[in-house]
Amino acid sequence: MLASLGTMPELARQLSVLGGCTHPVRLDGHRTEYAVNTATGEIGNVLRHLDSAALPAGQLLVRCNNRRATRCAACAETYRRDTYHLITAGLRGGKGTPEQVSTHPRVFATFTAPGFGPVHNRRTDGRPCRCGTHHDQEDAALGTPLNSDTYDYEAAVLWNAHAGALWRRFSIYLRREVAKRAGLTQRDFRDHARVSFAKVAEYQKRGAVHFHAVIRLGGPEGGDTSPPAWATAELLTDAIRAAATAARIDGPQIDSRAHTFAFGRQLDVRPIRSADFDGGQDLTERAVAAYIAKYATKGAETATGTLDRPIRFLAELAHARISDHARRMIRTAW
Ligand SMILES: [Zn+2]
Ligand SMILES: [Zn+2]
């Protein structure tokens, strides 16, 4: 597998296409391309033959394309940049989206998880945490339960498993709520307007998933068409609040306890401005795109100190370097 001096330039070329990927996927095999007469379907001469064993690295190397920064920094960075450009295009135009999209009503919304019991936190009013301590920003206790015996681990773990379904329920309700406010039936609605989403899941310190989303109102063809006159950021905000409050998902029944899931009461909805200047409660397009892109590459492990790969055996937990809270979350899930 060690390259001889003669193949160094070829090896360098083979590695350069990986763009810094630290965990390339190694493939063995061969592929032969033949000339084919498209009129007769007759197979002709060999055009190209690729044998992975003949490559400088002895194998074909392909980027791992992992989105998680803790797994492969280079591939996650590529994904973060792609996401940033995608979100920016959806907000201010570009990459096939017309610039007039920046005049469409759009908001940035954060949907939180419900409470599962008190956790250690840093208060914004300067008062100490309920435990009496002023926690440092880096304190590992942040987000962990004040009392792990009463913390609802069962619901917390089930929440993460049901949050995706709850989001889908919310998105259906949102279209309904927007249509209702516009005085349209759901069937007529799609001839007038379209609701578009860009959503990321973020794991909070306590290990519960919550969502950030850019939600935009466009014309019947989305960003390519002008929204109707009734479509305002205020109407959209109002519809989001109604849909998020109404959305419910039934979970399993465990030991005669029937679980139901809804978003937490804290719901933050803010309009997105075009202009890139600071001040006020509104967010700029750039700030939102950067935020979404950041969370798209940030898995649960960076926020909570949990594992970034599925575990095969519960026994592995004993050797993994993770916090007690994360350990308990995983153990309950298992
Ligand atoms: Zn990679
Ligand atoms: Zn505390």
Side-chain angles (χ1 to χ4, degrees):
M1 151 78 206
L2 256 183
S4 71
L5 274 176
T7 58
M8 277 308 276
E10 287 77 22
L11 181 65
R13 207 173 308 134
Q14 195 188 351
L15 295 180
S16 73
V17 301
L18 293 173
C21 174
T22 50
H23 298 283
V25 179
R26 299 168 169 279
L27 301 173
D28 288 309
H30 55 85
R31 186 182 67 179
T32 309
E33 283 174 34
Y34 296 92
V36 176
N37 184 323
T38 50
T40 62
E42 201 179 339
I43 295 169
N45 299 328
V46 171
L47 292 178
R48 257 157 55 89
H49 179 73
L50 176 79
D51 191 334
S52 60
L55 289 167
Q59 278 168 319
L60 180 64
L61 304 178
V62 182
R63 294 191 64 134
C64 74
N65 284 326
N66 201 299
R67 298 172 176 194
R68 295 188 168 191
T70 54
R71 295 297 292 275
C72 181
C75 289
E77 175 57 16
T78 303
Y79 182 71
R80 190 195 60 77
R81 243 180 282 146
D82 289 350
T83 306
Y84 177 82
H85 292 305
L86 194 73
I87 301 290
T88 308
L91 288 172
R92 65 202 314 183
K95 310 227 171 205
T97 307
E99 276 173 28
Q100 60 119 352
V101 76
S102 65
T103 63
H104 294 191
R106 59 270 159 86
V107 299
F108 183 67
T110 298
F111 302 79
T112 58
F116 306 112
V119 294
H120 293 280
N121 60 5
R122 277 161 61 84
R123 298 175 58 118
T124 48
D125 58 10
R127 289 169 56 197
C129 171
R130 280 197 226 194
C131 70
T133 314
H134 283 279
H135 292 291
D136 182 80
Q137 206 168 336
E138 302 297 317
D139 195 335
L142 286 174
T144 64
L146 280 164
N147 183 347
S148 55
D149 292 332
T150 57
Y151 191 78
D152 195 349
Y153 279 98
E154 186 177 281
V157 166
L158 287 169
W159 161 260
N160 286 353
H162 290 82
L166 181 63
W167 172 268
R168 284 190 291 281
R169 178 73 45 94
F170 158 78
S171 66
I172 293 164
Y173 283 8
L174 178 58
R175 286 186 186 92
R176 241 179 249 175
E177 294 294 335
V178 173
K180 196 159 82 184
R181 281 159 181 75
L184 295 165
T185 64
Q186 284 198 76
R187 181 188 286 262
D188 286 344
F189 180 69
R190 62 181 92 123
D191 296 332
H192 294 259
R194 190 194 287 177
V195 184
S196 308
F197 305 92
K199 177 204 72 169
V200 285
E202 182 202 351
Y203 287 88
Q204 294 171 296
K205 276 240 187 305
R206 60 183 166 137
V209 77
H210 76 183
F211 296 115
H212 299 290
V214 174
I215 307 177
R216 190 185 71 193
L217 270 178
E221 303 297 325
D224 295 339
T225 44
S226 291
W230 53 256
T232 61
E234 290 70 33
L235 181 143
L236 180 58
T237 301
D238 193 48
I240 289 169
R241 291 198 178 282
T245 308
R248 290 265 180 293
I249 282 286
D250 286 333
Q253 181 158 332
I254 296 172
D255 299 335
S256 76
R257 175 184 174 191
H259 286 274
T260 307
F261 295 97
F263 289 117
R265 254 169 289 153
Q266 266 182 309
L267 170 67
D268 187 49
V269 187
R270 287 194 267 174
I272 301 168
R273 277 182 300 115
S274 301
D276 280 323
F277 56 83
D278 291 320
Q281 285 293 294
D282 296 358
L283 294 161
T284 64
E285 291 159 346
R286 269 181 224 273
V288 167
Y291 205 66
I292 294 265
K294 181 180 144 207
Y295 284 110
T297 55
K298 184 179 147 190
E301 68 282 357
T302 46
T304 60
T306 178
L307 296 156
D308 66 350
R309 62 202 82 194
I311 41 171
R312 294 272 164 76
F313 306 103
L314 200 52
E316 286 181 29
L317 264 182
H319 304 290
R321 272 182 291 159
I322 51 173
S323 70
D324 277 348
H325 178 56
R327 196 185 301 271
R328 184 114 179 229
M329 284 288 280
I330 296 166
R331 213 174 259 160
T332 308
W334 193 262

Short mmCIF file of all heavy atoms in Angstrom, two decimals, residues 20-51:
data_model
loop_
_atom_site.label_atom_id
_atom_site.label_comp_id
_atom_site.label_asym_id
_atom_site.label_seq_id
_atom_site.Cartn_x
_atom_site.Cartn_y
_atom_site.Cartn_z
N GLY A 20 -9.36 16.91 1.58
CA GLY A 20 -9.03 16.92 3.00
C GLY A 20 -9.82 15.94 3.85
O GLY A 20 -9.67 15.92 5.07
N CYS A 21 -10.67 15.15 3.21
CA CYS A 21 -11.46 14.15 3.95
C CYS A 21 -10.53 13.24 4.73
O CYS A 21 -9.56 12.72 4.20
CB CYS A 21 -12.31 13.32 2.98
SG CYS A 21 -13.17 11.95 3.78
N THR A 22 -10.81 13.08 6.04
CA THR A 22 -9.91 12.29 6.88
C THR A 22 -10.36 10.83 7.02
O THR A 22 -9.63 10.01 7.56
CB THR A 22 -9.82 12.91 8.29
OG1 THR A 22 -11.15 13.14 8.78
CG2 THR A 22 -9.06 14.21 8.26
N HIS A 23 -11.59 10.53 6.57
CA HIS A 23 -12.07 9.15 6.66
C HIS A 23 -12.61 8.67 5.32
O HIS A 23 -13.78 8.33 5.21
CB HIS A 23 -13.18 9.03 7.71
CG HIS A 23 -12.72 9.36 9.08
ND1 HIS A 23 -11.96 8.51 9.84
CD2 HIS A 23 -12.87 10.49 9.83
CE1 HIS A 23 -11.69 9.08 11.00
NE2 HIS A 23 -12.23 10.28 11.01
N PRO A 24 -11.75 8.68 4.26
CA PRO A 24 -12.27 8.29 2.95
C PRO A 24 -12.76 6.85 2.96
O PRO A 24 -12.25 6.01 3.71
CB PRO A 24 -11.07 8.46 2.03
CG PRO A 24 -9.88 8.43 2.91
CD PRO A 24 -10.32 8.98 4.23
N VAL A 25 -13.77 6.59 2.15
CA VAL A 25 -14.29 5.24 2.01
C VAL A 25 -13.37 4.52 1.02
O VAL A 25 -13.07 5.06 -0.05
CB VAL A 25 -15.73 5.28 1.46
CG1 VAL A 25 -16.28 3.87 1.30
CG2 VAL A 25 -16.62 6.10 2.38
N ARG A 26 -12.88 3.34 1.39
CA ARG A 26 -11.95 2.60 0.52
C ARG A 26 -12.73 1.56 -0.26
O ARG A 26 -13.44 0.75 0.32
CB ARG A 26 -10.88 1.91 1.37
CG ARG A 26 -10.05 2.88 2.17
CD ARG A 26 -9.20 2.19 3.20
NE ARG A 26 -8.26 3.13 3.74
CZ ARG A 26 -7.12 3.46 3.13
NH1 ARG A 26 -6.78 2.89 1.99
NH2 ARG A 26 -6.31 4.35 3.68
N LEU A 27 -12.60 1.61 -1.57
CA LEU A 27 -13.34 0.67 -2.41
C LEU A 27 -12.38 -0.20 -3.21
O LEU A 27 -11.37 0.27 -3.72
CB LEU A 27 -14.25 1.44 -3.37
CG LEU A 27 -15.31 2.35 -2.76
CD1 LEU A 27 -16.00 3.16 -3.83
CD2 LEU A 27 -16.32 1.53 -1.96
N ASP A 28 -12.72 -1.48 -3.28
CA ASP A 28 -11.98 -2.42 -4.12
C ASP A 28 -12.88 -2.84 -5.27
O ASP A 28 -14.08 -3.01 -5.08
CB ASP A 28 -11.62 -3.70 -3.32
CG ASP A 28 -10.54 -3.42 -2.30
OD1 ASP A 28 -9.52 -2.83 -2.69
OD2 ASP A 28 -10.74 -3.78 -1.12
N GLY A 29 -12.29 -3.00 -6.44
CA GLY A 29 -13.10 -3.49 -7.55
C GLY A 29 -12.57 -2.98 -8.87
O GLY A 29 -11.52 -2.34 -8.93
N HIS A 30 -13.30 -3.29 -9.91
CA HIS A 30 -12.87 -2.81 -11.23
C HIS A 30 -14.09 -2.48 -12.07
O HIS A 30 -15.20 -2.96 -11.79
CB HIS A 30 -11.99 -3.84 -11.93
CG HIS A 30 -12.63 -5.19 -12.05
ND1 HIS A 30 -13.47 -5.52 -13.08
CD2 HIS A 30 -12.56 -6.28 -11.24
CE1 HIS A 30 -13.89 -6.76 -12.91
NE2 HIS A 30 -13.35 -7.24 -11.80
N ARG A 31 -13.86 -1.66 -13.06
CA ARG A 31 -14.95 -1.24 -13.93
C ARG A 31 -14.40 -1.13 -15.36
O ARG A 31 -13.30 -0.60 -15.56
CB ARG A 31 -15.47 0.12 -13.48
CG ARG A 31 -16.72 0.56 -14.25
CD ARG A 31 -17.18 1.93 -13.80
NE ARG A 31 -16.20 2.95 -14.18
CZ ARG A 31 -16.35 4.24 -13.92
NH1 ARG A 31 -17.39 4.66 -13.25
NH2 ARG A 31 -15.46 5.11 -14.31
N THR A 32 -15.13 -1.64 -16.31
CA THR A 32 -14.71 -1.57 -17.70
C THR A 32 -15.80 -0.89 -18.50
O THR A 32 -16.97 -1.24 -18.38
CB THR A 32 -14.44 -2.98 -18.27
OG1 THR A 32 -13.58 -3.67 -17.37
CG2 THR A 32 -13.78 -2.89 -19.63
N GLU A 33 -15.41 0.10 -19.28
CA GLU A 33 -16.37 0.77 -20.17
C GLU A 33 -16.12 0.32 -21.59
O GLU A 33 -15.00 0.33 -22.08
CB GLU A 33 -16.19 2.29 -20.09
CG GLU A 33 -16.77 2.92 -18.85
CD GLU A 33 -16.44 4.40 -18.75
OE1 GLU A 33 -16.38 5.05 -19.81
OE2 GLU A 33 -16.24 4.87 -17.62
N TYR A 34 -17.20 -0.07 -22.28
CA TYR A 34 -17.10 -0.51 -23.66
C TYR A 34 -17.79 0.50 -24.56
O TYR A 34 -18.74 1.17 -24.16
CB TYR A 34 -17.79 -1.86 -23.86
CG TYR A 34 -17.16 -2.99 -23.09
CD1 TYR A 34 -17.60 -3.32 -21.81
CD2 TYR A 34 -16.12 -3.75 -23.66
CE1 TYR A 34 -17.03 -4.36 -21.10
CE2 TYR A 34 -15.55 -4.80 -22.96
CZ TYR A 34 -16.01 -5.10 -21.68
OH TYR A 34 -15.45 -6.14 -20.99
N ALA A 35 -17.33 0.56 -25.80
CA ALA A 35 -18.03 1.36 -26.79
C ALA A 35 -19.31 0.61 -27.15
O ALA A 35 -19.29 -0.62 -27.30
CB ALA A 35 -17.16 1.56 -28.02
N VAL A 36 -20.43 1.32 -27.24
CA VAL A 36 -21.68 0.66 -27.62
C VAL A 36 -22.26 1.37 -28.84
O VAL A 36 -22.37 2.60 -28.87
CB VAL A 36 -22.70 0.70 -26.45
CG1 VAL A 36 -24.04 0.11 -26.88
CG2 VAL A 36 -22.17 -0.05 -25.24
N ASN A 37 -22.59 0.61 -29.85
CA ASN A 37 -23.24 1.18 -31.03
C ASN A 37 -24.70 1.43 -30.67
O ASN A 37 -25.46 0.49 -30.45
CB ASN A 37 -23.13 0.19 -32.21
CG ASN A 37 -23.70 0.79 -33.49
OD1 ASN A 37 -24.71 1.50 -33.45
ND2 ASN A 37 -23.06 0.49 -34.61
N THR A 38 -25.07 2.71 -30.54
CA THR A 38 -26.42 3.03 -30.05
C THR A 38 -27.52 2.62 -31.03
O THR A 38 -28.67 2.49 -30.64
CB THR A 38 -26.55 4.54 -29.74
OG1 THR A 38 -26.06 5.27 -30.86
CG2 THR A 38 -25.77 4.92 -28.49
N ALA A 39 -27.14 2.45 -32.30
CA ALA A 39 -28.14 2.05 -33.30
C ALA A 39 -28.44 0.55 -33.20
O ALA A 39 -29.60 0.13 -33.24
CB ALA A 39 -27.67 2.41 -34.70
N THR A 40 -27.38 -0.24 -33.08
CA THR A 40 -27.56 -1.69 -33.10
C THR A 40 -27.50 -2.33 -31.70
O THR A 40 -27.93 -3.48 -31.53
CB THR A 40 -26.45 -2.35 -33.95
OG1 THR A 40 -25.18 -2.05 -33.31
CG2 THR A 40 -26.43 -1.80 -35.36
N GLY A 41 -26.97 -1.58 -30.75
CA GLY A 41 -26.83 -2.14 -29.41
C GLY A 41 -25.62 -3.05 -29.30
O GLY A 41 -25.39 -3.69 -28.28
N GLU A 42 -24.83 -3.09 -30.37
CA GLU A 42 -23.66 -3.96 -30.38
C GLU A 42 -22.56 -3.42 -29.47
O GLU A 42 -22.27 -2.24 -29.48
CB GLU A 42 -23.13 -4.02 -31.83
CG GLU A 42 -22.28 -5.21 -32.12
CD GLU A 42 -21.82 -5.18 -33.58
OE1 GLU A 42 -22.47 -4.49 -34.40
OE2 GLU A 42 -20.81 -5.80 -33.88
N ILE A 43 -21.96 -4.31 -28.70
CA ILE A 43 -20.89 -3.91 -27.79
C ILE A 43 -19.55 -4.03 -28.50
O ILE A 43 -19.23 -5.07 -29.10
CB ILE A 43 -20.90 -4.78 -26.52
CG1 ILE A 43 -22.21 -4.51 -25.74
CG2 ILE A 43 -19.70 -4.50 -25.63
CD1 ILE A 43 -22.48 -5.47 -24.62
N GLY A 44 -18.79 -2.92 -28.47
CA GLY A 44 -17.54 -2.87 -29.22
C GLY A 44 -16.30 -2.97 -28.35
O GLY A 44 -16.26 -3.76 -27.40
N ASN A 45 -15.28 -2.13 -28.66
CA ASN A 45 -13.98 -2.20 -27.99
C ASN A 45 -14.02 -1.66 -26.56
O ASN A 45 -14.91 -0.90 -26.20
CB ASN A 45 -12.96 -1.38 -28.78
CG ASN A 45 -12.78 -1.91 -30.17
OD1 ASN A 45 -12.89 -3.12 -30.41
ND2 ASN A 45 -12.51 -1.01 -31.10
N VAL A 46 -13.04 -2.06 -25.79
CA VAL A 46 -12.87 -1.54 -24.44
C VAL A 46 -12.42 -0.08 -24.54
O VAL A 46 -11.47 0.23 -25.25
CB VAL A 46 -11.81 -2.35 -23.66
CG1 VAL A 46 -11.48 -1.67 -22.34
CG2 VAL A 46 -12.31 -3.77 -23.43
N LEU A 47 -13.14 0.84 -23.88
CA LEU A 47 -12.75 2.26 -23.89
C LEU A 47 -11.84 2.58 -22.72
O LEU A 47 -10.82 3.23 -22.86
CB LEU A 47 -14.00 3.15 -23.82
CG LEU A 47 -14.92 3.13 -25.04
CD1 LEU A 47 -16.11 4.03 -24.80
CD2 LEU A 47 -14.16 3.60 -26.30
N ARG A 48 -12.24 2.13 -21.54
CA ARG A 48 -11.49 2.43 -20.33
C ARG A 48 -11.59 1.24 -19.38
O ARG A 48 -12.62 0.60 -19.29
CB ARG A 48 -12.12 3.65 -19.62
CG ARG A 48 -11.38 4.96 -19.81
CD ARG A 48 -12.34 6.13 -19.59
NE ARG A 48 -13.01 6.08 -18.29
CZ ARG A 48 -12.52 6.63 -17.17
NH1 ARG A 48 -11.37 7.27 -17.19
NH2 ARG A 48 -13.18 6.56 -16.05
N HIS A 49 -10.52 0.99 -18.68
CA HIS A 49 -10.58 -0.05 -17.67
C HIS A 49 -9.98 0.51 -16.39
O HIS A 49 -8.89 1.07 -16.41
CB HIS A 49 -9.81 -1.29 -18.12
CG HIS A 49 -9.84 -2.37 -17.09
ND1 HIS A 49 -10.97 -3.12 -16.83
CD2 HIS A 49 -8.90 -2.81 -16.21
CE1 HIS A 49 -10.71 -3.97 -15.84
NE2 HIS A 49 -9.46 -3.80 -15.45
N LEU A 50 -10.73 0.43 -15.32
CA LEU A 50 -10.25 0.93 -14.03
C LEU A 50 -10.19 -0.24 -13.06
O LEU A 50 -11.19 -0.92 -12.84
CB LEU A 50 -11.18 2.03 -13.49
CG LEU A 50 -10.82 2.55 -12.10
CD1 LEU A 50 -9.67 3.55 -12.17
CD2 LEU A 50 -12.03 3.20 -11.44
N ASP A 51 -9.00 -0.44 -12.51
CA ASP A 51 -8.85 -1.49 -11.50
C ASP A 51 -8.32 -0.81 -10.24
O ASP A 51 -7.27 -0.18 -10.26
CB ASP A 51 -7.86 -2.55 -11.99
CG ASP A 51 -7.87 -3.77 -11.09
OD1 ASP A 51 -8.20 -3.62 -9.89
OD2 ASP A 51 -7.55 -4.87 -11.56
#
